[in-house]
């Protein structure tokens, strides 16, 4: 019920958010990861609870229709995991608690009401974007604005994959997979080295750096002592280091390779089986996308750590479907 193979797509949200915040991961970041895992799995349990009647017809092998888990147990698990997630967020601080509360509300609203409406993909995209912002604010409370470009890119990918997932039970949609192919190709280009997006990210980084300078310094360039105080992964100039740039290109290529081919197959032959494969690939592709975003923010080591989760997710997906 908790889709263990999708577990590895969650930590990268917070780590990409931490990279966007301009600070190395620390205790607050890992509290955010714990929060994300709890809320993500709460959503999985709540999804099965809400879709139990539909699954009885289309997916009788699922835990609730098959009788392995009762609806009450699934709902209780969702409630307990939500409370646990919010408790972890509270320990991280007020800003991450606010983000986690908004995330929990989005998850419950999606599963219990918005999933089968036109607002469904937008709600799911908002949840992923909020998860990244949760990691950013848990790492540095005032990092919300700096992390918005990353959150927008992750949200766009999530919107596209969720639009495809609405047809995985019966297939028949060519438009949704084709749109997802276009979005994926665009995101791969941006994260691999899109100049316009990079300028935007640099501007946000400079604004974030200015926000933490002492008021007496105003808008002046930081002196050598201030430069040394900045995290090593974040150059004062805002220019990505060669290492992170190469990692970003590698992660973007992995992202495109993971998602594009299954989505193209789903567009050419929109059968339920190929559509479901496209959705599963889109979910797994979040890992290299998170890595690309982290690397583009200058956190090459963090990006490599996120990228290493990909093979684990792929191996588990062969045993437990992420959808």
């Amino acid at each position: 019920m908790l889709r263990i193979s999708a577990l590895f797509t969650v930590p990268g949200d917070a780590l990409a958010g931490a990279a966007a915040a301009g600070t190395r991961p620390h205790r607050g970041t890992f509290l955010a990861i714990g929060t994300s895992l709890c809320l993500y799995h709460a959503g999985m349990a709540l999804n099965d609870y809400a879709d139990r009647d539909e699954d009885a017809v289309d997916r009788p092998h699922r835990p609730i229709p098959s009788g392995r888990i009762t609806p009450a147990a699934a709902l209780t698990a969702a409630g307990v995991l939500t409370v646990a997630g919010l408790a972890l967020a509270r320990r991280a601080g007020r800003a991450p608690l606010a983000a986690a509360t908004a995330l929990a509300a989005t998850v419950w609203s999606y599963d219990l009401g918005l999933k089968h409406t036109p607002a469904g993909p937008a709600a799911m995209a908002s949840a992923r974007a909020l998860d990244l912002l949760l990691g950013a604010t848990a790492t540095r409370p005032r990092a919300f604005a700096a992390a918005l470009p990353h959150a927008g890119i992750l949200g766009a990918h999530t919107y596209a994959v969720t639009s495809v997932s609405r047809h995985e039970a019966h297939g028949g949609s060519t438009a949704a997979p084709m749109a997802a192919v276009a979005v994926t190709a665009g995101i791969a280009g941006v994260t691999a080295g899109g100049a316009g997006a990079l300028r935007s990210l640099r501007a946000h980084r400079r604004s974030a750096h200015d926000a933490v300078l002492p008021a007496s310094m105003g808008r002046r360039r930081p002196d050598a002592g201030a430069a040394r105080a900045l995290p090593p992964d974040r150059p004062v100039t805002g220019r990505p280091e060669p290492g992170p740039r190469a990692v970003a290109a590698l992660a973007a290529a992995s992202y495109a390779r993971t998602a594009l081919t299954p989505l193209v197959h789903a567009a050419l032959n929109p059968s339920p089986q190929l559509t479901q494969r496209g959705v599963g690939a889109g979910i797994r592709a979040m890992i290299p996308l998170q890595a690309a975003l982290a690397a583009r923010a200058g956190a090459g080591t963090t990006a490599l750590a996120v990228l290493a989760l990909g093979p684990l997710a792929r191996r588990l997906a062969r045993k437990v479907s992420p959808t």
Side-chain angles (χ1 to χ4, degrees), residues 11 37 59 64 113 120 161 197 206 209 216 220 222 225 265 277:
L37 290 170
R59 305 178 184 89
I64 293 179
V161 173
R206 285 194 293 270
H209 288 163
S216 61
R220 292 176 298 172
H265 289 167
R277 286 182 184 175

Side-chain angles (χ1 to χ4, degrees), residues 75-105:
L75 184 60
T76 300
V80 170
L81 285 167
T82 299
V83 171
L86 293 176
L88 289 173
R90 183 183 179 188
R91 295 188 63 186
R94 291 182 179 179
L97 176 59
T101 301
L103 174 57

Side-chain angles (χ1 to χ4, degrees), residues 2-33:
L2 298 182
R3 321 285 203 284
I4 192 67
S5 60
L7 174 92
F8 298 101
T9 70
V10 178
D13 289 347
L15 292 173
T23 305
R24 290 181 176 177
H26 53 66
R27 175 179 175 275
T29 311
F30 293 108
L31 285 172
I33 291 175

Side-chain angles (χ1 to χ4, degrees), residues 215-231:
S216 61
M217 293 180 65
R219 300 290 295 181
R220 292 176 298 172
R221 289 181 62 86
D223 58 21
R228 286 193 297 271
L230 292 174

Side-chain angles (χ1 to χ4, degrees), residues 95-163:
L97 176 59
T101 301
L103 174 57
T106 302
V107 168
W108 281 73
S109 297
Y110 174 81
D111 282 327
L112 296 183
L114 298 177
K115 181 177 181 180
H116 299 293
T117 72
M124 183 62 79
S126 297
R128 275 287 180 173
L130 283 166
D131 201 29
L132 188 148
L133 293 172
L134 166 63
T137 55
T139 304
R140 187 164 64 84
R142 291 186 293 177
F144 185 89
L148 278 177
H150 292 75
I153 291 173
L154 186 60
H157 172 79
T158 305
Y159 187 100
V161 173
T162 305
S163 297

Side-chain angles (χ1 to χ4, degrees), residues 62-305:
R62 286 274 178 91
I64 293 179
S66 65
R68 300 195 303 275
I69 295 177
T70 66
L75 184 60
T76 300
V80 170
L81 285 167
T82 299
V83 171
L86 293 176
L88 289 173
R90 183 183 179 188
R91 295 188 63 186
R94 291 182 179 179
L97 176 59
T101 301
L103 174 57
T106 302
V107 168
W108 281 73
S109 297
Y110 174 81
D111 282 327
L112 296 183
L114 298 177
K115 181 177 181 180
H116 299 293
T117 72
M124 183 62 79
S126 297
R128 275 287 180 173
L130 283 166
D131 201 29
L132 188 148
L133 293 172
L134 166 63
T137 55
T139 304
R140 187 164 64 84
R142 291 186 293 177
F144 185 89
L148 278 177
H150 292 75
I153 291 173
L154 186 60
H157 172 79
T158 305
Y159 187 100
V161 173
T162 305
S163 297
V164 178
S165 74
R166 293 160 74 88
H167 306 279
E168 64 178 324
H170 305 288
S173 173
T174 297
M178 282 302 297
V181 167
V183 170
T184 300
I187 290 176
V190 168
T191 54
L198 182 55
R199 282 194 297 269
S200 175
L201 288 175
R202 286 175 180 170
H204 278 281
R205 285 200 297 269
R206 285 194 293 270
S207 297
H209 288 163
D210 289 340
V212 299
L213 294 178
S216 61
M217 293 180 65
R219 300 290 295 181
R220 292 176 298 172
R221 289 181 62 86
D223 58 21
R228 286 193 297 271
L230 292 174
D233 278 347
R234 308 283 293 193
V236 176
T237 61
R239 185 175 304 161
E241 298 174 353
R245 187 188 293 273
V247 175
L250 172 65
S254 177
Y255 164 69
R257 184 175 62 251
T258 301
L260 280 178
T261 299
L263 287 172
V264 169
H265 289 167
L268 295 176
N269 180 10
S271 65
Q273 183 179 17
L274 290 180
T275 300
Q276 187 173 357
R277 286 182 184 175
V279 173
I283 293 173
R284 294 196 309 276
M286 289 182 182
I287 295 174
L289 175 56
Q290 294 156 349
L293 293 174
R296 263 300 169 204
T301 301
T302 296
L304 288 174

Side-chain angles (χ1 to χ4, degrees), residues 301-323:
T301 301
T302 296
L304 288 174
V306 173
L307 203 56
L309 298 174
L312 297 174
R314 186 167 56 251
R315 191 173 299 116
L316 276 176
R318 299 191 186 105
K319 301 180 180 180
V320 181
S321 172
T323 67

